[in-house]
């Protein structure tokens, strides 16, 4: 579990908001956004083409994550990368 879990962490040791968006993990995504609402517009430093969490969710077909991000005010007009 530890090895898998650390792969989901960003450079600061926090879970990247992009990972739950990619894997459609709405509960983890909600928890992260509740704790730090500014993550809604965070870029993915490890994988810049993913852009913001909305881009990650859309590119992987994570419909529930997209809905949550829209409910939280994600910008549907921003460009990735």
């Amino acid at each position: 579990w530890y090895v898998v879990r650390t792969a989901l962490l960003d450079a600061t040791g926090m879970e990247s908001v992009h990972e739950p968006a990619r894997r459609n993990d709405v509960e983890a995504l909600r928890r992260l956004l509740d704790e730090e609402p500014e993550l809604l517009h965070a870029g993915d430093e490890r994988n810049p083409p993913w852009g913001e969490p909305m881009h990650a969710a859309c590119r992987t077909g994570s419909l529930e994550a997209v809905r949550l991000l829209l409910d939280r005010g994600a910008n549907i007009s921003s460009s990735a990368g």
Side-chain angles (χ1 to χ4, degrees), residues 39-77:
L39 291 175
L40 183 64
H41 306 292
D44 187 347
E45 297 163 1
R46 292 175 299 152
N47 194 358
W50 283 101
E52 295 181 0
M54 176 62 86
H55 300 115
C58 288
R59 287 182 179 178
T60 57
S62 301
L63 184 57
E64 291 83 11
V66 168
R67 287 183 180 139
L68 174 62
L69 293 166
L70 287 173
D71 287 345
R72 297 292 180 106
N75 181 358
I76 61 170
S77 300

Side-chain angles (χ1 to χ4, degrees), residues 1 5 8-9 13-21 23-40 65 68-69 72:
W1 166 252
R5 181 77 177 152
L8 305 178
L9 304 180
M14 300 297 293
E15 182 175 24
S16 167
V17 70
H18 296 78
E19 294 301 328
R23 64 181 189 262
N24 204 35
D25 185 346
V26 176
E27 291 306 315
L29 186 57
R30 182 177 289 116
R31 178 182 43 80
L32 287 168
L33 293 173
D34 284 347
E35 293 172 5
E36 295 185 62
E38 65 276 4
L39 291 175
L40 183 64
L68 174 62
L69 293 166
R72 297 292 180 106

